[in-house]
């Protein structure tokens, strides 16, 4: 089986096993953290399909539009004091039989469907231009047009006070709804902002900083049709998904995307035939590596070095060839510009490389 | 006339005037600098078409393949001592009648055609991973396949010593030609790495750092079909083009692209109906603003603020709407990661906005 397939190729072991359904409930979510000590809510075998609910922690920005009974149950069932040290509602963890540290989890995202027809963008206190906007926060509610694969702003309001508690319910029916972005239609890019495996650390680890385990990468290309590779850190992997987005731009500069609950169909395949030091993304067009740091300069350097590793260790190019090719064909981009937590990524087109002998 | 047209729209004043041909010769190029004191080599009226030769300063990396009589004449006709303080061979300057400081030059790039079928990529001493590569420089020569719009490596060689003199002729026929990037075909993205107007400064200004005048932006989207807007700094604008590339990735991490001479057809239109503080790029799909700084964090911030300005001052969004829209639909990217001179850009899709009343 090739490390990464050419577009259109089918992996040898791709035939799905069982299909599991995983609802998001107070009992199947963990809010704000990964924790290697959490009991799994689902056990799957390599190859199994999972249809899981990912619930946005921003549903409280427009509870009348973004909450149904199941979402409300999570908001009322998970006390505010239990939502930390991060902010994202994570569904899981999923235990993958036989997965052990050093393996890779290949997660094939097959389908991402909005659960409700609305999403929220918060211009947050952790946003890139918070100071330039007078340290005021603001919510813009978007309506989703699934048939057109677009979103359109419905109304906006100034957030009262400071958004500090994850899942704050702002009772916006009482707020001053202002028109916003009249006539502008935003292309939908449904994806998971946060997904990954538990880290080999005792206790809770915040969902906010991304890392080798995946986590809060916020790359909008992690949508249907994409394949993510996560390095397993603990037995079973303990994979969770959350932070569903209907759209964001590279950078996500206000601090949030169009946050909206998604139902996600994916397949998990256990891989022992290769390893990679960080979260690696394959889309129909690209291979993508990520770098993270407080300093965008260093995040970019980390991503550059990981791309060099991908091209040499896995594609088989010489270091010299890889460097030249990166300069003429790899695109560097900014995944996240939220202050204090920068993300960069590097994309190289899969079409550059002819299928290898023995592939397919 | 709209500030920026919708895709497919025709600007009211787009009918071309005269067609001028501008060959690159020792008398019509300036090597390594902009200079407001330079005598124009061509005078044009707003609306005129210009077909100009842009010659790569890397032709000496493979003189047998990348030099013809005209290119050789420039390399032998411009003494090494006259190539400074930057590195790029610039064709021009072109004086645009009636252009004055505060105006904008709208330059519509219509066609970019390789002059010869070869280009060079140098892993340079100013490249991003120079230290990681043992402080050694290396040239990879690419053959261009115009019918397929692709490039393929032909051979590579270690550069002897350090590449310090712009236009060094390495007499590669005598060097050790090594195979490179077998079977890899790079998509061609012909564009100008450097183009812009003279700055209002006495004496020579290096072509290397980009700025409000344009200059060495190195965005591969500045190709055929793109429109650049440059703020005029001195009477006549004194526009020059150079640094032709057949392809580069965002980042241009080895320090150079596939450098190859191009013949460029473009139209210059004088604009007085708007102003913008930096070099602004319109492609069929995107509006793009640029930020530059030694620190990528600051380059990114500059680009973010310019995009905010574009969306508010020119598209007419409120600041709040613009910020939300940037977060959910604008893509931040890295134009240049060469050490000591970082470039970022932000793209927003033109399709987001309905045509304005009175447009077209």
């Amino acid at each position: 089986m090739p490390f990464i397939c050419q577009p259109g190729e089918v992996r040898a072991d791709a035939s799905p096993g069982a299909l599991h359904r995983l609802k998001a409930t107070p009992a199947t979510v963990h809010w704000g953290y990964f924790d290697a000590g959490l009991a799994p809510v689902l056990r799957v075998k390599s190859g199994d399909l999972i249809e899981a609910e990912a619930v946005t922690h921003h549903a409280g920005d427009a509870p009348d539009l973004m909450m149904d009974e199941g979402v409300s149950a999570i908001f009322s069932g998970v006390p505010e004091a239990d939502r930390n040290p991060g902010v994202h509602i994570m569904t899981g963890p999923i235990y993958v039989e036989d997965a052990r540290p050093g393996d890779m989890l290949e997660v094939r995202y097959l389908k991402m469907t909005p659960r409700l027809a609305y999403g929220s963008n918060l211009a947050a206190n952790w946003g890139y231009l918070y100071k330039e906007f007078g340290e005021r926060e603001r919510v813009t509610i978007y309506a989703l047009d699934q048939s057109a694969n677009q979103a359109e702003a419905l109304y906006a309001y100034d957030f009262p006070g400071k958004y500090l508690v994850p899942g704050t319910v702002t009772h916006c029916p009482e707020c001053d709804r202002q028109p916003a972005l009249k006539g502008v239609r935003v292309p939908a890019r449904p994806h998971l902002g946060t997904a990954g495996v538990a880290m080999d650390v005792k206790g809770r680890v915040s969902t906010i900083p991304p890392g080798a385990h995946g986590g809060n990468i916020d790359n909008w290309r992690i949508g249907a049709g994409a394949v993510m590779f996560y390095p397993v850190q603990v037995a079973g992997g303990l994979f969770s998904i959350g932070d569903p987005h209907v759209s964001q731009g590279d950078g996500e500069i206000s601090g949030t995307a169009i946050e909206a609950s998604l139902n996600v169909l994916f397949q998990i395949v256990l891989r022992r035939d290769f390893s990679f030091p960080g979260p690696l993304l394959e889309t129909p067009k690209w291979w993508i590596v990520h770098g993270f740091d407080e300093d965008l300069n260093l995040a970019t350097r980390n991503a550059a070095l990981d791309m060099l590793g991908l091209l040499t260790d896995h594609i088989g190019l010489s270091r010299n060839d890889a460097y030249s090719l990166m300069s003429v064909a790899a695109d560097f981009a900014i995944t996240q510009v939220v202050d204090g937590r920068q993300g960069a990524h590097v994309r190289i087109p899969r079409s550059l490389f002819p299928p290898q002998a023995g592939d397919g």
Side-chain angles (χ1 to χ4, degrees), chain A residues 69-87:
Chain A
E69 205 173 325
V71 175
S72 292
I74 294 168
F75 277 65
S76 58
V78 180
E80 283 181 14
D82 196 23
R83 308 170 185 175
N84 62 68
V87 300

Side-chain angles (χ1 to χ4, degrees), chain A residues 44-100:
Chain A
V44 304
K45 290 190 165 60
S46 175
D48 283 0
L49 289 167
I50 300 112
E51 189 175 59
E53 295 176 351
V55 170
T56 177
H57 54 295
H58 278 282
D61 296 352
D64 53 326
L65 302 176
M66 294 175 64
M67 284 191 176
D68 56 19
E69 205 173 325
V71 175
S72 292
I74 294 168
F75 277 65
S76 58
V78 180
E80 283 181 14
D82 196 23
R83 308 170 185 175
N84 62 68
V87 300
H88 310 100
I89 303 173
M90 304 301 298
T91 306
I94 299 168
Y95 189 99
V96 181
E97 302 287 355
D98 299 327
R100 57 193 185 207

Side-chain angles (χ1 to χ4, degrees), chain A residues 83-342:
Chain A
R83 308 170 185 175
N84 62 68
V87 300
H88 310 100
I89 303 173
M90 304 301 298
T91 306
I94 299 168
Y95 189 99
V96 181
E97 302 287 355
D98 299 327
R100 57 193 185 207
D103 297 345
M104 301 291 290
L105 278 196
E106 175 183 327
V107 179
R108 305 174 187 181
Y109 294 107
L110 303 172
K111 202 172 164 190
M112 298 204 185
T113 313
R115 173 179 181 140
L116 296 164
Y118 302 93
S120 169
N121 169 250
L122 173 66
N125 59 74
W126 59 89
Y128 192 57
L129 302 180
Y130 179 55
K131 281 182 187 156
E132 284 80 354
F133 277 77
E135 306 201 347
R136 289 182 301 106
E137 293 176 88
R138 187 175 171 90
V139 171
T140 306
I141 300 298
Y142 288 78
L144 317 178
D145 179 347
Q146 280 200 53
S147 62
N149 206 36
Q150 290 177 325
E152 196 163 11
L154 195 62
Y155 64 86
Y157 64 93
D158 291 324
F159 185 83
K162 194 167 182 176
Y163 191 103
L164 294 172
V165 178
T168 296
V169 178
T170 52
H171 302 290
C172 188
E174 298 152 28
C175 80
D176 176 25
R177 297 188 174 192
Q178 299 155 19
L181 284 166
K182 187 165 179 292
V184 176
R185 295 180 74 84
V186 175
R189 298 165 161 179
H191 64 279
L192 291 176
T194 308
V197 295
M199 280 156 282
D200 187 13
V201 169
K202 204 174 162 63
R204 293 186 173 195
V205 177
S206 171
T207 54
I208 294 178
H213 66 294
N216 185 31
I217 299 173
D218 281 330
N219 189 333
W220 58 261
R221 296 162 190 84
I222 305 176
V227 179
M228 277 291 292
F229 299 90
Y230 303 96
V232 173
Q233 324 272 308
V234 299
L238 297 180
F239 180 72
S240 302
I241 66 169
D243 193 21
H245 294 167
V246 154
S247 200
Q248 73 158 74
D250 283 331
E252 199 193 18
I253 83 158
S254 85
T256 67
I258 297 178
E259 315 273 331
S261 299
L262 294 174
N263 296 329
V264 182
L265 178 68
F266 56 100
Q267 184 182 25
I268 296 185
V269 179
L270 188 58
R271 298 292 298 268
R272 286 188 176 143
D273 52 333
F274 80 101
S275 64
F276 197 77
L280 175 64
L281 169 58
E282 173 191 339
T283 76
K285 281 192 181 174
W286 305 96
W287 293 327
I288 305 177
V289 300
H290 300 90
F292 314 109
D293 198 273
E294 284 180 29
D295 180 344
L296 188 55
N297 298 288
L298 295 179
T300 301
R301 183 163 289 273
N302 293 340
L305 294 173
D306 268 8
M307 179 53 80
L308 190 63
L310 178 72
L311 293 175
T312 53
D313 300 350
H314 296 287
I315 310 290
L317 299 184
S318 70
R319 272 171 60 87
N320 283 329
D321 278 0
Y323 191 32
S324 179
L325 188 63
M326 286 170 70
S327 197
V328 305
D331 287 328
F332 282 62
I334 298 167
T335 320
Q336 185 98 61
V337 288
V338 168
D339 273 347
R341 179 170 51 83
Q342 312 299 326

Side-chain angles (χ1 to χ4, degrees), chain A residues 21-25 28-29 51-53 91 115:
Chain A
R21 290 202 170 80
L22 178 56
K23 283 200 162 300
T25 71
T28 62
V29 303
E51 189 175 59
E53 295 176 351
T91 306
R115 173 179 181 140

Side-chain angles (χ1 to χ4, degrees), chain A residues 5-45:
Chain A
C5 286
Q6 290 297 310
E9 272 186 285
V10 175
R11 288 175 172 80
D13 68 343
S15 59
L19 168 61
H20 307 267
R21 290 202 170 80
L22 178 56
K23 283 200 162 300
T25 71
T28 62
V29 303
H30 42 112
W31 194 325
Y33 59 96
F34 292 95
D35 187 339
L38 268 182
V41 299
L42 178 66
R43 300 180 85 93
V44 304
K45 290 190 165 60

